Amino acid sequence: MGGKLKGRSLLTLKDYSAAEIRFLLDSARVLKAEKRKGRIRRRFRGKTLALLFEKRSTRTRCAFETAFGEEGGHPVFLSTQDVHLGAKESLEDTARVLGRMFDCIQYRGYDQRTVETLAEYSRVPVYNGLTDSCHPTQALADLFTVEECTGGLAGKTICYTGDGRNNVAVSLVTACAKMGVNLVIASPRELHPSPALLKTAGVWASESGANITVETDPLTAVKGADVIYTDVWVSMGEEKQTDARVKLLTPYQVNEKLMAATGNKDVKFLHCLPAVRGQEVTQEVIDGPQSAAWDQAENRKHVIKAILLATL
Ligand code: CP
Ligand code: NVA
């Protein structure tokens, strides 16, 4: 399976089969154990990675930089202040040049078409580190963390509450549908996942056995969940909508009452981070014993290392 991934980009999880996702999750588990034992294998020696960022990042940037660097690779951070990214030089030309100098490219920014263009013209593996449309490396780390903190994926139910149509939710729907994990999206009608995504997810779910549903009442939605997951109410680039979102999403806050409404005393809490305490989650929950958000953040690195190793 690893061989089939050589040279591949990761632009969206739609392009990855369940077997390929399973291979990446299993590799990440091995890599995490190796790291714990202090085994450093220098598998990226002599390789270079361009890290293109149009938006801010803590976890994604640090995960790519440290995963690549500690294996002997040379990551180069390039913000829009540093390179001509569609300004003064066409995106296609920038992609062509980066492809001549780097073995692979990570892109974080706004438009999904940008990451697709980078892949087409650079001809090296390109990794989507978040666009407005999706966040594939996040969803892989999310499933890895669910597996770790609940003991497996089969038959597990995640309830994602909040903005059900943002990049994190879209990738979670895709990943759960492909991997047979039940997912309940709890969000107001205005923020439900698109009907097109739900239709495609329904096809994957019928093959994997997953149950993907959408609810508007958060207290009903969380019943029986193994994991409660949330993300910020206002994604990067949507700041003008802050007041409207707070009004719309306040009933979807993850607090002790919502955690208790699951009826599951072992329920875990996940958050892709960064978090706004007092909005989508209370301090008691994110900093409490049920929170696996910090393991989830660390797991970004192991999963990203698995993707780099499989594709380079
Ligand atoms: N979860 C995540 O992608 O975090 P960053 O925005 O810090 O990279
Ligand atoms: N939905 C959030 C995710 C941040 C990792 C955003 O796009 O800002």
Side-chain angles (χ1 to χ4, degrees), residues 186-239:
S187 65
R189 268 180 219 298
E190 297 87 328
L191 298 174
H192 280 180
S194 74
L197 174 65
L198 291 173
K199 193 173 165 202
T200 320
V203 177
W204 297 320
S206 65
E207 284 167 21
S208 72
N211 197 8
I212 310 290
T213 53
V214 182
E215 293 273 355
T216 45
D217 175 22
L219 289 170
T220 312
V222 298
K223 277 202 176 69
D226 298 288
V227 173
I228 303 294
Y229 189 167
T230 193
D231 182 15
V232 286
W233 289 344
V234 183
S235 287
M236 289 179 275
E238 298 182 333
E239 289 74 10

Side-chain angles (χ1 to χ4, degrees), residues 139 142-143 146-147 150 153 155-161 172 175-176 181-186 211-213 221-222 224-230 268 270:
D142 299 341
L143 290 193
V146 170
E147 200 155 56
T150 70
L153 294 182
K156 295 289 162 34
T157 300
I158 302 174
C159 177
Y160 172 98
T161 167
L172 195 64
C176 288
V181 182
N182 303 323
L183 176 68
V184 185
I185 299 278
N211 197 8
I212 310 290
T213 53
V222 298
D226 298 288
V227 173
I228 303 294
Y229 189 167
T230 193
K268 300 285 187 236
L270 294 187

Side-chain angles (χ1 to χ4, degrees), residues 55 108 130-131 135 138 166-168 231-232 234-236 272-274:
K55 289 178 178 171
R108 164 172 287 201
L130 178 148
T131 60
H135 197 4
Q138 180 69 55
N166 77 10
N167 40 20
V168 167
D231 182 15
V232 286
V234 183
S235 287
M236 289 179 275
C272 57
L273 305 174

Side-chain angles (χ1 to χ4, degrees), residues 53 56-61 108 129-130 135 137-138 168 236 271-274 300:
F53 281 87
R56 285 172 191 268
S57 167
T58 299
R59 278 143 291 270
T60 308
R61 174 185 175 176
R108 164 172 287 201
L130 178 148
H135 197 4
T137 67
Q138 180 69 55
V168 167
M236 289 179 275
H271 193 311
C272 57
L273 305 174
R300 295 291 306 290

